[in-house]
Amino acid sequence: EEITFRGYIQTYFARDFPMWKAIAIASVLFSIMHFSFLSAPYLFLAGGLMGWTRYKTGSLYPSMVIHFLHNYVVITFFTEL
């Protein structure tokens, strides 16, 4: 997901829009892709954090680490067995 949303989509839209708009567009698409209406605002904010991290560091790796840690915490602590 990071390669697609922060690597390709965010970079593509950053060519024609200010970075904040490129991050917002990628975050909206990231949220929609997860097919969860109730989680959409949260996913948008998470996508925004990862997009901002990608922009500030210039690398996908930190956002990949954030995404991995997020998924680990959700699966470990918020999923019933």
Side-chain angles (χ1 to χ4, degrees), residues 8-71:
Y8 292 123
I9 295 172
Q10 181 174 314
T11 300
Y12 175 80
F13 282 104
R15 295 177 190 163
D16 297 324
F17 296 101
M19 185 54 70
W20 71 268
K21 283 187 181 180
I23 292 171
I25 292 167
S27 297
V28 165
L29 295 173
F30 176 76
S31 179
I32 290 169
M33 191 271 312
H34 283 86
F35 304 109
S36 176
F37 182 75
L38 293 176
S39 298
Y42 171 76
L43 290 167
F44 174 78
L45 292 174
L49 171 66
M50 290 180 277
W52 179 81
T53 301
R54 161 71 164 103
Y55 168 64
K56 284 301 194 180
T57 64
S59 173
L60 284 173
Y61 293 116
S63 61
M64 287 177 173
V65 169
I66 291 169
H67 200 148
F68 170 81
L69 291 173
H70 170 269
N71 288 350

Side-chain angles (χ1 to χ4, degrees), residues 42 66-79:
Y42 171 76
I66 291 169
H67 200 148
F68 170 81
L69 291 173
H70 170 269
N71 288 350
Y72 175 79
V73 168
V74 168
I75 290 169
T76 303
F77 299 106
F78 298 103
T79 305

